[in-house]
């Protein structure tokens, strides 16, 4: 039963990532693309966690945590670049 | 004496907890976490001039539960709006929330709460830090939204941070 | 694993996946950035939260390991999502001339901090 739920979730999250990718490619302006990239990262974290459940292993949590941290930092760095013209002042 | 050893007791607690969560629970990791928890606040205390005063844990727990409940409700509302309404039909607009809160920690908490709860995203702070720009996804009555935010979250935060 | 636990884990996985999909769908569907912002910030955090709780429950029931790292990820995401949303909104306001003209007044002398220089009480007094 969990395997079926995992398959459904894999499909849903993959579709979500495709929608985000569409926004990254089309998305009329820069902040939209940044937001889409951030959402893409969150979906990737979900995919990593789901893989952990599917294969019954706890090895992937560090990967998910790193994804969360790096995703947050890149988003803030991009926005900072737009707002200030550089990242570190 | 205690204040020089532990300039920020809450930060110490947080670091120990984080370390145990990250490295798994054992006596060794707890001891090393405690070492870090004492050392890091002492080394960085020069950059944290004053510690925020925080009200009783009970009010914080009450606030956290209310916010968690609102987050769940907010998600169903926003999911409904996204799935079943045409994007152009949504009555979205910016509103201004005047702030009674003064401490930066309280304003940060309020902005975060607003972003996580029903159909509102905090978008900017006024240059003098006395008003918050909030974007509503679906509202027909901006004044009621503002009043709701003020009575539901701001008054509680005022009790937590500024008693 | 007992049947009830299995159902609970499956339901949480499906709920999480549903909300993640809705968040990204909102991102793709809604017409302008400020509206798009609502989808990812809310839906994805609850989606991730439900998935992580499912994962925690699964490892408790299946392997009898209490892994608390999921709580760490959930807390981290719940703390960072508002910051991300605020930064994206500020970048949007800075770039979008049309929205700049339609911002409501602050009700005070100072303007919004994205467009106006920050001023503290000390600066005003001097």
């Amino acid at each position: 039963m969990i395997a079926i739920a995992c398959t459904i979730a894999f499909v849903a999250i993959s579709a979500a990532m495709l929608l985000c990718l569409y926004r990254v490619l089309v998305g009329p302006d820069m902040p939209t693309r940044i937001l889409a990239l951030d959402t893409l990262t969150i979906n990737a974290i979900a995919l990593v966690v789901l893989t952990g459940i599917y294969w019954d292993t706890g090895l992937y949590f560090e990967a998910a945590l790193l994804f969360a941290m790096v995703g947050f930092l890149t988003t803030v760095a991009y926005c900072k670049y737009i707002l200030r013209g550089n990242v570190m002042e | 004496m205690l204040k020089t050893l532990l300039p920020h007791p809450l930060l110490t607690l947080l670091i120990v907890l984080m370390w145990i969560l990250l490295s798994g629970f054992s006596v060794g990791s707890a001891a090393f976490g405690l070492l870090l928890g004492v050392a890091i606040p002492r080394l960085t205390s020069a950059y944290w001039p004053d510690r925020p005063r925080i009200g009783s844990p009970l009010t914080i727990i009450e606030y956290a539960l209310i916010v968690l409940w609102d987050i769940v409700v907010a998600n169903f509302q926003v999911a409904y709006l996204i799935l079943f309404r045409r994007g152009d039909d949504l009555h979205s607009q910016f509103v201004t929330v005047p702030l009674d809160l003064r401490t930066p920690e309280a304003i940060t908490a309020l902005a975060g709460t607003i972003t996580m709860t029903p159909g509102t995203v905090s978008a900017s702070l006024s240059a003098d830090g006395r008003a918050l720009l909030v974007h509503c996804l679906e509202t027909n009555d901006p004044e009621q939204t503002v009043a709701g935010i003020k009575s539901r979250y701001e008054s509680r935060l005022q009790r937590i941070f500024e008693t | 694993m007992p049947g009830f636990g299995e159902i609970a884990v499956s339901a949480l996985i499906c709920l999480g996946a549903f909300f993640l999909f809705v968040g990204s769908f909102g991102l793709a569907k809604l017409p302008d950035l400020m509206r798009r912002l609502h989808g990812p910030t809310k839906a994805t955090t609850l989606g991730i939260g439900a998935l992580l709780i499912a994962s925690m429950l699964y490892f408790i029931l299946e392997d009898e390991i209490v892994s608390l790292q999921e709580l760490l990820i959930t807390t981290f995401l719940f703390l960072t999502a508002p910051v991300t949303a605020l930064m994206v909104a500020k970048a949007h306001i800075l770039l979008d001339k049309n929205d700049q003209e339609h911002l409501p007044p602050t009700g005070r002398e100072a303007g919004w901090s994205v467009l106006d220089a920050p001023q503290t009480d000390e600066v005003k007094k001097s």
Side-chain angles (χ1 to χ4, degrees):
Chain A
M1 188 164 172
I2 288 176
I4 300 171
C6 279
T7 314
I8 296 170
F10 275 130
V11 173
I13 294 172
S14 307
M17 289 180 90
L18 281 177
L19 288 172
C20 292
L21 211 55
Y22 163 77
R23 253 315 149 209
V24 174
L25 293 174
V26 172
D29 52 358
M30 282 295 284
T32 311
R33 289 202 173 91
I34 295 170
L35 183 65
L37 276 176
D38 185 61
T39 317
L40 204 61
T41 324
I42 292 179
N43 281 318
I45 298 166
L47 215 53
V48 169
V49 173
L50 205 60
T51 316
I53 300 177
Y54 191 68
W55 285 344
D56 192 12
T57 162
L59 283 174
Y60 291 106
F61 289 119
E62 276 84 1
L65 198 60
L66 280 177
F67 256 106
M69 287 176 174
V70 174
F72 171 65
L73 279 184
T74 45
T75 312
V76 170
Y78 279 137
C79 289
K80 195 95 181 157
Y81 181 73
I82 288 183
L83 285 168
R84 295 294 185 129
N86 59 12
V87 179
M88 301 281 252
E89 286 170 63
Chain B
M1 169 62 201
L2 195 66
K3 203 174 170 186
T4 51
L5 190 66
L6 294 173
H8 297 279
L10 280 175
L11 186 62
T12 305
L13 196 69
L14 198 69
I15 289 171
V16 174
L17 218 65
M18 281 280 289
W19 190 262
I20 290 172
L21 283 179
L22 271 175
S23 56
F25 183 77
S26 67
V27 180
S29 75
F32 193 63
L34 197 66
L35 200 70
L36 286 177
V38 174
I40 290 175
R42 284 205 63 176
L43 288 174
T44 57
S45 64
Y47 307 105
W48 306 71
D50 36 39
R51 56 169 109 159
R53 294 183 356 184
I54 288 177
S56 75
L58 215 65
T59 49
I60 297 176
I61 291 170
E62 185 206 357
Y63 184 72
L65 286 179
I66 286 174
V67 170
L68 269 180
W69 171 248
D70 281 357
I71 287 173
V72 175
V73 173
N75 273 288
F76 283 98
Q77 281 177 355
V78 170
Y80 171 78
L81 287 177
I82 287 175
L83 287 174
F84 299 113
R85 292 282 294 274
R86 280 195 45 227
D88 295 325
D89 293 345
L90 294 170
H91 303 284
S92 308
Q93 59 175 315
F94 285 105
V95 296
T96 306
V97 178
L99 292 172
D100 294 325
L101 298 171
R102 288 294 171 266
T103 52
E105 294 86 9
I107 295 175
T108 312
L110 181 68
T113 316
I114 288 174
T115 300
M116 299 302 289
T117 48
T120 48
V121 167
S122 50
S124 185
L125 191 68
S126 76
D128 59 356
R130 296 281 197 270
L132 203 61
L133 181 65
V134 172
H135 184 265
C136 299
L137 182 61
E138 164 77 28
T139 178
N140 291 316
D141 190 359
E143 272 114 43
Q144 204 193 343
T145 313
V146 173
I149 288 170
K150 286 186 86 73
S151 66
R152 196 167 172 84
Y153 307 120
E154 196 181 14
S155 59
R156 288 193 169 86
L157 279 174
Q158 210 152 24
R159 252 182 285 151
I160 292 175
F161 284 99
E162 296 175 355
T163 40
Chain C
M1 186 193 291
F4 180 72
E6 201 175 317
I7 292 171
V9 172
S10 308
L12 278 171
I13 290 175
C14 288
L15 190 76
F18 169 73
F19 275 119
L20 280 162
F21 179 75
V22 167
S24 302
F25 183 64
L27 179 74
K29 178 189 171 190
L30 296 176
D32 62 83
L33 182 91
M34 282 315 294
R35 279 177 224 184
R36 278 177 203 142
L37 205 51
H38 289 273
T41 48
K42 296 193 189 65
T44 50
T45 37
L46 190 76
I48 285 270
L51 261 180
L52 289 166
I53 292 168
S55 159
M56 231 161 94
L57 207 62
Y58 177 78
F59 284 110
I60 289 171
L61 294 169
E62 182 82 8
D63 305 339
E64 291 176 355
I65 304 169
V66 181
S67 70
L68 293 171
Q69 291 182 340
E70 286 95 335
L71 272 186
L72 210 63
I73 303 176
T74 319
T75 321
F76 187 78
L77 281 173
F78 270 68
L79 288 179
T80 55
V83 182
T84 311
L86 181 74
M87 293 299 275
V88 173
K90 280 168 98 168
H92 169 75
I93 291 171
L94 186 74
L95 292 182
D96 193 325
K97 294 283 180 290
N98 183 37
D99 261 8
Q100 274 177 27
E101 283 161 16
H102 290 99
L103 289 181
T106 56
R108 306 190 57 85
E109 289 169 35
W112 297 111
S113 63
V114 186
L115 309 168
D116 215 349
Q119 45 183 234
T120 53
D121 289 341
E122 290 80 49
V123 177
K124 256 192 283 179
K125 272 174 215 153
S126 62

